[in-house]
């Protein structure tokens, strides 16, 4: 029987929104529409838009919790408490946390662009899908259930 290792994954909403804003800004300034104008005015995130981003963020946290459901022991806002076996160390958890944050940024950016400039959302959507797959593979890689041999006592 393995000992359990508890850790919290903090997906800081303010940091995610700041990164989403930077992604959108960089994309908008670097791409021109058919008339040669910057997309900045079309996709810029204004204060009133944060209510929509909050919904996307809540959905993203739910997707992460669902992906890590076998390891989640609690959720408090954007802090997900997970329990892995002792074979996993704090650096491992930090790596999973970084993947979760990157996923949140990619997914929220994707959802925002789907509303404002759908033709550019696919890049972020593909990135988000890859990141979610990585989160799952990291979580389950070292946490494969141990098999008992036939006749072995419990």
């Amino acid at each position: 029987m393995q000992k359990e290792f508890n850790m919290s994954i903090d997906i800081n909403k303010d940091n995610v929104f700041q990164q989403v804003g930077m992604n959108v800004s960089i994309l908008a300034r670097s791409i021109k529409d058919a008339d040669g104008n910057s997309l900045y005015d079309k996709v810029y995130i204004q204060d009133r838009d944060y209510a929509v981003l909050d919904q996307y963020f809540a959905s993203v946290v739910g997707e992460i919790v669902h992906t890590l459901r076998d390891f989640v022991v609690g959720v408090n806002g954007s802090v997900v408490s997970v329990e892995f076996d002792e074979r996993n160390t704090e650096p491992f958890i930090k790596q999973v946390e970084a993947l979760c944050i990157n996923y949140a940024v990619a997914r929220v950016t994707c959802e925002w662009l789907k509303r404002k400039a759908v033709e550019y959302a696919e890049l972020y959507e593909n990135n988000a899908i890859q990141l979610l797959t990585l989160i799952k593979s990291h979580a389950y890689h070292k946490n494969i259930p141990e098999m008992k041999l036939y006749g072995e006592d419990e």
Side-chain angles (χ1 to χ4, degrees), residues 16-17 20 23 53 55-57 59-61 63-64 99-114 121-132:
V16 168
F17 285 176
V20 168
N23 286 350
L53 293 180
Q55 292 175 350
Y56 296 151
F57 183 78
S59 174
V60 164
V61 171
E63 291 168 5
I64 291 170
L99 287 170
C100 289
I101 292 167
N102 288 333
Y103 170 73
V105 170
R107 192 67 182 164
V108 172
T109 302
C110 168
E111 294 302 323
W112 179 252
L113 289 175
K114 282 181 179 178
E122 186 178 352
L123 172 69
Y124 289 95
E125 186 168 37
N126 291 338
N127 188 22
I129 291 168
Q130 291 173 347
L131 287 165
L132 196 60

Side-chain angles (χ1 to χ4, degrees), residues 11-123:
I11 309 163
N12 186 299
K13 181 168 64 171
D14 293 334
N15 291 344
V16 168
F17 285 176
Q18 181 180 15
Q19 189 65 41
V20 168
M22 288 180 7
N23 286 350
V24 168
S25 180
I26 290 168
L27 177 72
R29 289 186 188 277
S30 64
I31 296 176
K32 308 286 185 194
D33 65 11
D35 298 329
N37 300 321
S38 167
L39 290 178
Y40 190 77
D41 291 335
K42 183 177 179 181
V43 299
Y44 177 73
I45 300 172
Q46 299 177 16
D47 288 342
R48 67 175 183 252
D49 298 325
Y50 282 97
V52 174
L53 293 180
D54 278 335
Q55 292 175 350
Y56 296 151
F57 183 78
S59 174
V60 164
V61 171
E63 291 168 5
I64 291 170
V65 168
H66 179 74
T67 300
L68 297 174
R69 67 187 169 275
D70 292 336
F71 311 105
V72 173
V73 293
V75 179
N76 185 4
S78 63
V79 178
V80 180
S81 298
V82 293
E83 188 174 84
F84 291 112
D85 66 38
E86 69 179 359
R87 294 176 286 181
N88 296 304
T89 60
E90 189 169 343
F92 167 81
I93 302 295
K94 290 298 180 187
Q95 187 175 23
V96 172
E97 182 178 48
L99 287 170
C100 289
I101 292 167
N102 288 333
Y103 170 73
V105 170
R107 192 67 182 164
V108 172
T109 302
C110 168
E111 294 302 323
W112 179 252
L113 289 175
K114 282 181 179 178
R115 288 177 54 110
K116 299 291 184 170
V118 70
E119 61 275 16
Y120 302 104
E122 186 178 352
L123 172 69

